[in-house]
Amino acid sequence: MDRPRDAVDRLLVDASGRTPRADARRNVERLVDAARVAVAEIGVGVSAHEIARRAGVGVGTFYRRIPSLEVLLAAVLDEILDEITDLADRALADPDPWHGFREFADAYVRLRAESCGIGQALGGHHADGLAPRLADLREAIRSLVERAQAAHAMRADLAWQDVPFLLAAAATDDRTLGLRADGRQWEHNLRIILDGLRATGPGRPAA
């Protein structure tokens, strides 16, 4: 499937077709890098001032190079969701359907657990602007699940729509019932979920 340009190129699109100056590109690259880190740590509610501070530029430079905060966040989230969908595409190319699904699930849940903003985006924030990317990701997960089921590697008594909810549940909050999770709690959760998803019987694949 076709993929849009990365976030920097997308933000540098100029209707005149002119090539941006090198300093302009460097500033946009710094803003995109800062936005990715800030979105991971703070979420989609991060401010333009915070992104500019992290990029080492003034807010005036931010708005000279970026049409708006919303445009920057949409470009960054779009790029990350493209990367997740690419992971799913590579998993679909794995000759072992269960191994491919497991590798994708690990990368997907890790990203959800480690990036506040991605969890928010996948949960519906910026949903209108990200609709094409989310649709691509839904289709990729559906294909991964159905491929694993067709190979009798994944239990057949679930709908593919169940799987995104289960993977989202693995990326737990860091506190519950007065307990505090360590930084790898998502891995424990995912192992249990994957064990529950595997087909049972003689043809059950290795963990």
Side-chain angles (χ1 to χ4, degrees):
M1 63 189 71
D2 292 335
R3 294 277 190 263
R5 283 171 276 209
D6 67 23
V8 172
D9 287 337
R10 192 178 295 118
L11 291 164
L12 285 171
V13 168
D14 188 327
S16 69
R18 292 175 299 179
T19 301
R21 298 197 320 267
D23 63 329
R25 184 176 188 89
R26 282 194 299 272
N27 281 333
V28 173
E29 289 172 347
R30 291 164 70 182
L31 287 164
V32 166
D33 289 344
R36 285 189 66 135
V37 175
V39 162
E41 294 178 358
I42 299 171
V44 296
V46 65
S47 69
H49 283 78
E50 176 62 18
I51 293 172
R53 183 189 68 78
R54 288 169 178 252
V57 302
V59 73
T61 297
F62 179 103
Y63 284 111
R64 279 196 299 276
R65 301 303 177 205
I66 306 295
S68 71
L69 174 61
E70 286 295 312
V71 168
L72 174 59
L73 292 178
V76 166
L77 292 170
D78 215 31
E79 178 180 76
I80 297 172
L81 288 177
D82 279 344
E83 292 168 5
I84 298 173
T85 305
D86 286 340
L87 288 172
D89 289 344
R90 288 200 290 275
L92 285 167
D94 192 314
D96 182 332
W98 178 254
H99 181 266
F101 173 77
R102 190 183 64 198
E103 290 295 297
F104 168 76
D106 182 83
Y108 178 77
V109 175
R110 180 190 300 272
L111 188 56
R112 287 197 70 130
E114 295 178 352
S115 175
C116 175
I118 288 303
Q120 292 170 338
L122 292 169
H125 292 263
H126 290 268
D128 291 341
L130 298 175
R133 304 281 72 76
L134 293 175
D136 287 345
L137 185 53
R138 284 195 301 272
E139 179 62 19
I141 292 175
R142 181 191 67 77
S143 297
L144 283 168
V145 170
E146 292 181 351
R147 180 170 178 257
Q149 289 175 323
H152 306 292
M154 183 182 293
R155 53 192 291 177
D157 61 335
L158 55 84
W160 76 264
Q161 294 93 334
D162 295 327
V163 174
F165 287 103
L166 293 170
L167 297 182
T172 184
D173 292 334
D174 61 356
R175 293 179 184 271
T176 185
L177 297 177
L179 302 171
R180 184 177 180 85
D182 63 32
R184 314 298 289 184
Q185 184 64 45
W186 66 269
E187 291 184 278
H188 304 310
N189 298 345
L190 181 59
R191 280 201 299 271
I192 294 167
I193 288 168
L194 290 176
D195 193 57
L197 287 173
R198 285 187 298 162
T200 58
R204 180 175 174 143

